[in-house]
Amino acid sequence: MSNFSDNVRTKEFKLILSSEQERVLEDWMLVCKWVWNRSLGLIEEFNEWNPYDKISKSNVPATPLQRYDRKLKQWVRIEIPDWKMGIERVEKKRGFIHPVAIDENSPVIDSLDSKKSVLYGFLKMFGHQHHKDRIVTYLIRGEERKVNFTDCPAKFIQGVAHELSKAWEGFLAGRHSRPRFKTAKDKVMTLIHYNAKDLGVKDGKINIPKLGYIEVIGLDKRWYGCDFNPMKICKKASGWYMQLTASVPVKQAKKTGLCCGIDPGHQFVMALDNGHTIEAAQPLKRGLKRLRKMQQQLSRKYRMNGGKTKNWEKLNNKIAKLHEKIARHRRSFNHWHSTNLINWFDVIFVEDYKPANVYRKAKAKAKLDTDGAPMVAANGTAIYEKNNQKRKRGSNRTGNDVAIGQAIDLLETKGKEHGKLVIRVDNWGTTLCCAKCGHQEKKKLSQRTHKCSNCGYTVARDVNSGQNIKLKGLAQMAINQGVELSDNFWYKFLIDKNSATPSGSKKATKKKPKKSDTVIIPDDLFKNGVHEFLIGETAKTRAIINEMSLGNFDRNA
């Protein structure tokens, strides 16, 4: 079997551009911004004039008779254009929709349910032949900038259509929110070329359409020497960059036969079951003092000069560079440790961490009087009780600085590339339970040491959670594989929990399958089979816990 596997890799290179080339790229981004807004407007118009019919399961040509005017705060009647009055109006009982003719609509979009119909409609409409005389006008820094539509290469315009169709498809699938229009403050910072295989590469330079050969720093040394597709040109605070993506052979990490459980957190990014901990880098915390001082200076410059000046723009760019440096530091830290963990272990159990639940804003609770009615201030505003939102804001900032979700995503991506298992485990009970005896005991957040009142097992709180995550993950895998683990209290707990819920009950039917329940185990991952691996790792974890309880365990051994 080959030690190499084809994986998608993206590398970023810095570009060396003249001031004229930078201005040309900025003009192209303005054109792409206009294409995005125009395309999204056509999609919104299609939704307005073609509502979805549940009976026929298709989009029906129609238009609302009324719409809600936010300024007037009332429903107003829509005036239908003459070119849309091909069919006689027939009002429904509720008076909201009626069929109309839309043959004059362009581009012709059959449906918004499939990516193909939306994309090809846009590719046809935004061709250069239909916009030869179009001039895109924008107001930048108080100056009016005019750009010819045909100056922007067609491939970059097609890239915008691709991205919008992907965004709309993701919205329909429920993966993210609805695409938004780009306002005057929003900027298109990326140019995408989806047919980059035809671009010429010569002496560390890449030929960009209508721009010529551009010098790319480190292209000869760092690139793999194969074709790339797509190609992206990005504008950042520190300069212009090019991102190249290609499928390249990557040497897989060696199989070690080891397993670990990881508990992510704020104090330690990852705490392993064997006692090893990785302290958080927190690059934002290190640069926070400098960042605050620069932001105060920025605010003072705006106030004193009555608006934005060149000095304000220079300082604003410095702040953006600092933010970019912090983000690069954080991602580099997570890349380093995720690579080491994948090289060390074949199976990694990690807490099913959900940032949206952790960083949720504290709910406001109205203060009640003696009669149970909400209290109101003299000016008519409601009075609320303290909900510790200010304290939680600091915790949320620390969590965003640590970027636990990013670290877990990198672990999962690299695990797939190297043929190793990264399994998410439900976090219920991993903090409450003692990893040695299974006794449940509540702890305050300030209590960083686990000391069991039942068996006296004393260890770091996060390490105890990591041990519970590993034992629970092994128990779940054993249940799925039909292996019995007698020396694992989590195995008994999950068996009792599954048997307590009848298969025909509503709870059982509504419960969604977890990622750990649908794990596909590679055939060559375990030398002696899954059965021996589960029993051996459970015994090894119990031995580590017993050694830690005696106080003579060396975590560096």
Side-chain angles (χ1 to χ4, degrees), residues 34-56:
W34 181 87
V35 173
W36 173 279
N37 287 339
R38 179 60 179 156
S39 304
L40 187 56
L42 290 168
I43 291 178
E44 297 291 353
E45 182 186 359
F46 181 87
N47 276 340
E48 183 179 355
W49 294 85
N50 298 266
Y52 184 77
D53 184 23
K54 294 182 179 179
I55 299 175
S56 62

PDB file of all heavy atoms in Angstrom, residues 34-56:
ATOM      1  N   TRP A  34     -20.210  45.161  -8.248  1.00  0.00           N
ATOM      2  CA  TRP A  34     -21.439  45.492  -8.977  1.00  0.00           C
ATOM      3  C   TRP A  34     -22.122  44.229  -9.493  1.00  0.00           C
ATOM      4  O   TRP A  34     -23.349  44.098  -9.427  1.00  0.00           O
ATOM      5  CB  TRP A  34     -21.099  46.419 -10.161  1.00  0.00           C
ATOM      6  CG  TRP A  34     -22.319  46.821 -10.938  1.00  0.00           C
ATOM      7  CD1 TRP A  34     -23.145  47.867 -10.689  1.00  0.00           C
ATOM      8  CD2 TRP A  34     -22.835  46.167 -12.102  1.00  0.00           C
ATOM      9  NE1 TRP A  34     -24.155  47.910 -11.624  1.00  0.00           N
ATOM     10  CE2 TRP A  34     -23.989  46.878 -12.506  1.00  0.00           C
ATOM     11  CE3 TRP A  34     -22.448  45.059 -12.835  1.00  0.00           C
ATOM     12  CZ2 TRP A  34     -24.751  46.517 -13.602  1.00  0.00           C
ATOM     13  CZ3 TRP A  34     -23.204  44.689 -13.934  1.00  0.00           C
ATOM     14  CH2 TRP A  34     -24.336  45.402 -14.320  1.00  0.00           C
ATOM     15  N   VAL A  35     -21.351  43.269  -9.978  1.00  0.00           N
ATOM     16  CA  VAL A  35     -21.916  42.011 -10.476  1.00  0.00           C
ATOM     17  C   VAL A  35     -22.593  41.246  -9.343  1.00  0.00           C
ATOM     18  O   VAL A  35     -23.676  40.682  -9.519  1.00  0.00           O
ATOM     19  CB  VAL A  35     -20.813  41.158 -11.141  1.00  0.00           C
ATOM     20  CG1 VAL A  35     -21.344  39.776 -11.499  1.00  0.00           C
ATOM     21  CG2 VAL A  35     -20.292  41.844 -12.394  1.00  0.00           C
ATOM     22  N   TRP A  36     -21.964  41.217  -8.162  1.00  0.00           N
ATOM     23  CA  TRP A  36     -22.558  40.529  -7.015  1.00  0.00           C
ATOM     24  C   TRP A  36     -23.909  41.143  -6.658  1.00  0.00           C
ATOM     25  O   TRP A  36     -24.913  40.436  -6.491  1.00  0.00           O
ATOM     26  CB  TRP A  36     -21.602  40.603  -5.826  1.00  0.00           C
ATOM     27  CG  TRP A  36     -22.173  40.064  -4.546  1.00  0.00           C
ATOM     28  CD1 TRP A  36     -23.010  40.702  -3.691  1.00  0.00           C
ATOM     29  CD2 TRP A  36     -21.956  38.751  -3.979  1.00  0.00           C
ATOM     30  NE1 TRP A  36     -23.329  39.898  -2.624  1.00  0.00           N
ATOM     31  CE2 TRP A  36     -22.706  38.699  -2.777  1.00  0.00           C
ATOM     32  CE3 TRP A  36     -21.211  37.647  -4.366  1.00  0.00           C
ATOM     33  CZ2 TRP A  36     -22.719  37.560  -1.968  1.00  0.00           C
ATOM     34  CZ3 TRP A  36     -21.222  36.522  -3.566  1.00  0.00           C
ATOM     35  CH2 TRP A  36     -21.963  36.482  -2.381  1.00  0.00           C
ATOM     36  N   ASN A  37     -23.957  42.472  -6.534  1.00  0.00           N
ATOM     37  CA  ASN A  37     -25.202  43.139  -6.145  1.00  0.00           C
ATOM     38  C   ASN A  37     -26.281  42.983  -7.206  1.00  0.00           C
ATOM     39  O   ASN A  37     -27.452  42.763  -6.883  1.00  0.00           O
ATOM     40  CB  ASN A  37     -24.935  44.624  -5.879  1.00  0.00           C
ATOM     41  CG  ASN A  37     -24.184  44.856  -4.582  1.00  0.00           C
ATOM     42  OD1 ASN A  37     -24.185  44.014  -3.694  1.00  0.00           O
ATOM     43  ND2 ASN A  37     -23.529  45.999  -4.477  1.00  0.00           N
ATOM     44  N   ARG A  38     -25.892  43.082  -8.473  1.00  0.00           N
ATOM     45  CA  ARG A  38     -26.872  42.935  -9.551  1.00  0.00           C
ATOM     46  C   ARG A  38     -27.414  41.501  -9.603  1.00  0.00           C
ATOM     47  O   ARG A  38     -28.621  41.291  -9.779  1.00  0.00           O
ATOM     48  CB  ARG A  38     -26.214  43.305 -10.890  1.00  0.00           C
ATOM     49  CG  ARG A  38     -27.125  43.176 -12.103  1.00  0.00           C
ATOM     50  CD  ARG A  38     -28.330  44.071 -11.992  1.00  0.00           C
ATOM     51  NE  ARG A  38     -29.180  43.969 -13.166  1.00  0.00           N
ATOM     52  CZ  ARG A  38     -30.481  44.251 -13.186  1.00  0.00           C
ATOM     53  NH1 ARG A  38     -31.068  44.644 -12.057  1.00  0.00           N
ATOM     54  NH2 ARG A  38     -31.184  44.146 -14.286  1.00  0.00           N
ATOM     55  N   SER A  39     -26.552  40.529  -9.429  1.00  0.00           N
ATOM     56  CA  SER A  39     -26.977  39.125  -9.453  1.00  0.00           C
ATOM     57  C   SER A  39     -27.899  38.816  -8.287  1.00  0.00           C
ATOM     58  O   SER A  39     -28.935  38.155  -8.454  1.00  0.00           O
ATOM     59  CB  SER A  39     -25.767  38.203  -9.419  1.00  0.00           C
ATOM     60  OG  SER A  39     -24.878  38.476 -10.467  1.00  0.00           O
ATOM     61  N   LEU A  40     -27.528  39.289  -7.110  1.00  0.00           N
ATOM     62  CA  LEU A  40     -28.370  39.056  -5.942  1.00  0.00           C
ATOM     63  C   LEU A  40     -29.719  39.759  -6.088  1.00  0.00           C
ATOM     64  O   LEU A  40     -30.760  39.230  -5.664  1.00  0.00           O
ATOM     65  CB  LEU A  40     -27.650  39.537  -4.677  1.00  0.00           C
ATOM     66  CG  LEU A  40     -28.319  39.228  -3.337  1.00  0.00           C
ATOM     67  CD1 LEU A  40     -28.570  37.729  -3.188  1.00  0.00           C
ATOM     68  CD2 LEU A  40     -27.472  39.740  -2.184  1.00  0.00           C
ATOM     69  N   GLY A  41     -29.719  40.954  -6.721  1.00  0.00           N
ATOM     70  CA  GLY A  41     -30.974  41.645  -6.980  1.00  0.00           C
ATOM     71  C   GLY A  41     -31.881  40.846  -7.908  1.00  0.00           C
ATOM     72  O   GLY A  41     -33.107  40.813  -7.728  1.00  0.00           O
ATOM     73  N   LEU A  42     -31.295  40.192  -8.920  1.00  0.00           N
ATOM     74  CA  LEU A  42     -32.094  39.364  -9.829  1.00  0.00           C
ATOM     75  C   LEU A  42     -32.680  38.155  -9.105  1.00  0.00           C
ATOM     76  O   LEU A  42     -33.815  37.738  -9.387  1.00  0.00           O
ATOM     77  CB  LEU A  42     -31.226  38.906 -11.002  1.00  0.00           C
ATOM     78  CG  LEU A  42     -30.830  39.998 -11.999  1.00  0.00           C
ATOM     79  CD1 LEU A  42     -29.745  39.498 -12.932  1.00  0.00           C
ATOM     80  CD2 LEU A  42     -32.053  40.456 -12.792  1.00  0.00           C
ATOM     81  N   ILE A  43     -31.910  37.579  -8.173  1.00  0.00           N
ATOM     82  CA  ILE A  43     -32.439  36.454  -7.400  1.00  0.00           C
ATOM     83  C   ILE A  43     -33.605  36.909  -6.521  1.00  0.00           C
ATOM     84  O   ILE A  43     -34.644  36.237  -6.438  1.00  0.00           O
ATOM     85  CB  ILE A  43     -31.327  35.835  -6.523  1.00  0.00           C
ATOM     86  CG1 ILE A  43     -30.294  35.132  -7.408  1.00  0.00           C
ATOM     87  CG2 ILE A  43     -31.897  34.847  -5.521  1.00  0.00           C
ATOM     88  CD1 ILE A  43     -29.140  34.528  -6.651  1.00  0.00           C
ATOM     89  N   GLU A  44     -33.437  38.068  -5.865  1.00  0.00           N
ATOM     90  CA  GLU A  44     -34.518  38.582  -5.027  1.00  0.00           C
ATOM     91  C   GLU A  44     -35.754  38.910  -5.874  1.00  0.00           C
ATOM     92  O   GLU A  44     -36.896  38.683  -5.450  1.00  0.00           O
ATOM     93  CB  GLU A  44     -34.046  39.828  -4.268  1.00  0.00           C
ATOM     94  CG  GLU A  44     -32.904  39.578  -3.303  1.00  0.00           C
ATOM     95  CD  GLU A  44     -33.333  38.753  -2.106  1.00  0.00           C
ATOM     96  OE1 GLU A  44     -34.541  38.478  -1.944  1.00  0.00           O
ATOM     97  OE2 GLU A  44     -32.448  38.351  -1.325  1.00  0.00           O
ATOM     98  N   GLU A  45     -35.533  39.451  -7.076  1.00  0.00           N
ATOM     99  CA  GLU A  45     -36.669  39.747  -7.965  1.00  0.00           C
ATOM    100  C   GLU A  45     -37.370  38.454  -8.388  1.00  0.00           C
ATOM    101  O   GLU A  45     -38.595  38.395  -8.464  1.00  0.00           O
ATOM    102  CB  GLU A  45     -36.181  40.498  -9.201  1.00  0.00           C
ATOM    103  CG  GLU A  45     -37.313  40.874 -10.142  1.00  0.00           C
ATOM    104  CD  GLU A  45     -36.809  41.491 -11.435  1.00  0.00           C
ATOM    105  OE1 GLU A  45     -35.584  41.629 -11.573  1.00  0.00           O
ATOM    106  OE2 GLU A  45     -37.634  41.801 -12.299  1.00  0.00           O
ATOM    107  N   PHE A  46     -36.574  37.420  -8.651  1.00  0.00           N
ATOM    108  CA  PHE A  46     -37.171  36.144  -9.037  1.00  0.00           C
ATOM    109  C   PHE A  46     -38.030  35.596  -7.900  1.00  0.00           C
ATOM    110  O   PHE A  46     -39.127  35.073  -8.122  1.00  0.00           O
ATOM    111  CB  PHE A  46     -36.067  35.141  -9.389  1.00  0.00           C
ATOM    112  CG  PHE A  46     -36.585  33.799  -9.836  1.00  0.00           C
ATOM    113  CD1 PHE A  46     -36.898  33.576 -11.157  1.00  0.00           C
ATOM    114  CD2 PHE A  46     -36.769  32.775  -8.919  1.00  0.00           C
ATOM    115  CE1 PHE A  46     -37.380  32.346 -11.573  1.00  0.00           C
ATOM    116  CE2 PHE A  46     -37.246  31.550  -9.329  1.00  0.00           C
ATOM    117  CZ  PHE A  46     -37.554  31.325 -10.662  1.00  0.00           C
ATOM    118  N   ASN A  47     -37.552  35.737  -6.670  1.00  0.00           N
ATOM    119  CA  ASN A  47     -38.339  35.283  -5.521  1.00  0.00           C
ATOM    120  C   ASN A  47     -39.627  36.069  -5.378  1.00  0.00           C
ATOM    121  O   ASN A  47     -40.662  35.540  -4.987  1.00  0.00           O
ATOM    122  CB  ASN A  47     -37.512  35.419  -4.239  1.00  0.00           C
ATOM    123  CG  ASN A  47     -36.606  34.232  -4.007  1.00  0.00           C
ATOM    124  OD1 ASN A  47     -36.834  33.162  -4.559  1.00  0.00           O
ATOM    125  ND2 ASN A  47     -35.571  34.419  -3.223  1.00  0.00           N
ATOM    126  N   GLU A  48     -39.558  37.379  -5.682  1.00  0.00           N
ATOM    127  CA  GLU A  48     -40.737  38.235  -5.518  1.00  0.00           C
ATOM    128  C   GLU A  48     -41.801  37.923  -6.573  1.00  0.00           C
ATOM    129  O   GLU A  48     -42.987  37.902  -6.273  1.00  0.00           O
ATOM    130  CB  GLU A  48     -40.312  39.700  -5.605  1.00  0.00           C
ATOM    131  CG  GLU A  48     -41.458  40.679  -5.376  1.00  0.00           C
ATOM    132  CD  GLU A  48     -40.998  42.113  -5.457  1.00  0.00           C
ATOM    133  OE1 GLU A  48     -39.779  42.340  -5.596  1.00  0.00           O
ATOM    134  OE2 GLU A  48     -41.861  43.011  -5.400  1.00  0.00           O
ATOM    135  N   TRP A  49     -41.344  37.668  -7.810  1.00  0.00           N
ATOM    136  CA  TRP A  49     -42.293  37.466  -8.905  1.00  0.00           C
ATOM    137  C   TRP A  49     -42.567  35.984  -9.193  1.00  0.00           C
ATOM    138  O   TRP A  49     -43.380  35.671 -10.065  1.00  0.00           O
ATOM    139  CB  TRP A  49     -41.767  38.131 -10.176  1.00  0.00           C
ATOM    140  CG  TRP A  49     -41.699  39.625 -10.075  1.00  0.00           C
ATOM    141  CD1 TRP A  49     -40.688  40.346  -9.542  1.00  0.00           C
ATOM    142  CD2 TRP A  49     -42.692  40.562 -10.475  1.00  0.00           C
ATOM    143  NE1 TRP A  49     -40.967  41.684  -9.588  1.00  0.00           N
ATOM    144  CE2 TRP A  49     -42.208  41.841 -10.167  1.00  0.00           C
ATOM    145  CE3 TRP A  49     -43.952  40.439 -11.072  1.00  0.00           C
ATOM    146  CZ2 TRP A  49     -42.924  42.989 -10.421  1.00  0.00           C
ATOM    147  CZ3 TRP A  49     -44.666  41.597 -11.339  1.00  0.00           C
ATOM    148  CH2 TRP A  49     -44.156  42.855 -11.009  1.00  0.00           C
ATOM    149  N   ASN A  50     -41.887  35.088  -8.492  1.00  0.00           N
ATOM    150  CA  ASN A  50     -42.079  33.651  -8.713  1.00  0.00           C
ATOM    151  C   ASN A  50     -42.133  32.916  -7.382  1.00  0.00           C
ATOM    152  O   ASN A  50     -41.159  32.279  -6.980  1.00  0.00           O
ATOM    153  CB  ASN A  50     -40.929  33.080  -9.567  1.00  0.00           C
ATOM    154  CG  ASN A  50     -40.866  33.702 -10.930  1.00  0.00           C
ATOM    155  OD1 ASN A  50     -41.414  33.198 -11.886  1.00  0.00           O
ATOM    156  ND2 ASN A  50     -40.171  34.833 -11.012  1.00  0.00           N
ATOM    157  N   PRO A  51     -43.233  32.992  -6.650  1.00  0.00           N
ATOM    158  CA  PRO A  51     -43.310  32.287  -5.363  1.00  0.00           C
ATOM    159  C   PRO A  51     -43.325  30.778  -5.548  1.00  0.00           C
ATOM    160  O   PRO A  51     -43.720  30.273  -6.603  1.00  0.00           O
ATOM    161  CB  PRO A  51     -44.631  32.787  -4.766  1.00  0.00           C
ATOM    162  CG  PRO A  51     -45.441  33.182  -5.949  1.00  0.00           C
ATOM    163  CD  PRO A  51     -44.478  33.713  -6.963  1.00  0.00           C
ATOM    164  N   TYR A  52     -42.901  30.078  -4.508  1.00  0.00           N
ATOM    165  CA  TYR A  52     -42.840  28.618  -4.565  1.00  0.00           C
ATOM    166  C   TYR A  52     -44.210  28.039  -4.250  1.00  0.00           C
ATOM    167  O   TYR A  52     -44.823  28.367  -3.230  1.00  0.00           O
ATOM    168  CB  TYR A  52     -41.805  28.095  -3.571  1.00  0.00           C
ATOM    169  CG  TYR A  52     -41.595  26.602  -3.634  1.00  0.00           C
ATOM    170  CD1 TYR A  52     -40.847  26.037  -4.651  1.00  0.00           C
ATOM    171  CD2 TYR A  52     -42.164  25.758  -2.685  1.00  0.00           C
ATOM    172  CE1 TYR A  52     -40.647  24.670  -4.726  1.00  0.00           C
ATOM    173  CE2 TYR A  52     -41.969  24.391  -2.749  1.00  0.00           C
ATOM    174  CZ  TYR A  52     -41.211  23.854  -3.775  1.00  0.00           C
ATOM    175  OH  TYR A  52     -41.027  22.495  -3.842  1.00  0.00           O
ATOM    176  N   ASP A  53     -44.718  27.186  -5.150  1.00  0.00           N
ATOM    177  CA  ASP A  53     -46.013  26.550  -4.969  1.00  0.00           C
ATOM    178  C   ASP A  53     -45.803  25.164  -4.365  1.00  0.00           C
ATOM    179  O   ASP A  53     -45.151  24.299  -4.972  1.00  0.00           O
ATOM    180  CB  ASP A  53     -46.737  26.447  -6.320  1.00  0.00           C
ATOM    181  CG  ASP A  53     -48.135  25.869  -6.166  1.00  0.00           C
ATOM    182  OD1 ASP A  53     -48.685  25.968  -5.050  1.00  0.00           O
ATOM    183  OD2 ASP A  53     -48.669  25.318  -7.145  1.00  0.00           O
ATOM    184  N   LYS A  54     -46.361  24.919  -3.173  1.00  0.00           N
ATOM    185  CA  LYS A  54     -46.172  23.645  -2.493  1.00  0.00           C
ATOM    186  C   LYS A  54     -46.887  22.502  -3.203  1.00  0.00           C
ATOM    187  O   LYS A  54     -46.465  21.351  -3.114  1.00  0.00           O
ATOM    188  CB  LYS A  54     -46.661  23.744  -1.047  1.00  0.00           C
ATOM    189  CG  LYS A  54     -45.851  24.691  -0.185  1.00  0.00           C
ATOM    190  CD  LYS A  54     -46.364  24.694   1.244  1.00  0.00           C
ATOM    191  CE  LYS A  54     -45.527  25.638   2.110  1.00  0.00           C
ATOM    192  NZ  LYS A  54     -46.027  25.671   3.510  1.00  0.00           N
ATOM    193  N   ILE A  55     -47.987  22.795  -3.891  1.00  0.00           N
ATOM    194  CA  ILE A  55     -48.763  21.733  -4.541  1.00  0.00           C
ATOM    195  C   ILE A  55     -48.015  21.190  -5.759  1.00  0.00           C
ATOM    196  O   ILE A  55     -47.795  19.987  -5.904  1.00  0.00           O
ATOM    197  CB  ILE A  55     -50.161  22.248  -4.936  1.00  0.00           C
ATOM    198  CG1 ILE A  55     -50.921  22.684  -3.673  1.00  0.00           C
ATOM    199  CG2 ILE A  55     -50.933  21.167  -5.691  1.00  0.00           C
ATOM    200  CD1 ILE A  55     -52.245  23.319  -3.953  1.00  0.00           C
ATOM    201  N   SER A  56     -47.604  22.091  -6.641  1.00  0.00           N
ATOM    202  CA  SER A  56     -46.889  21.658  -7.852  1.00  0.00           C
ATOM    203  C   SER A  56     -45.400  21.480  -7.610  1.00  0.00           C
ATOM    204  O   SER A  56     -44.679  20.978  -8.479  1.00  0.00           O
ATOM    205  CB  SER A  56     -47.097  22.678  -8.969  1.00  0.00           C
ATOM    206  OG  SER A  56     -46.565  23.942  -8.594  1.00  0.00           O
TER     207      SER A  56
END
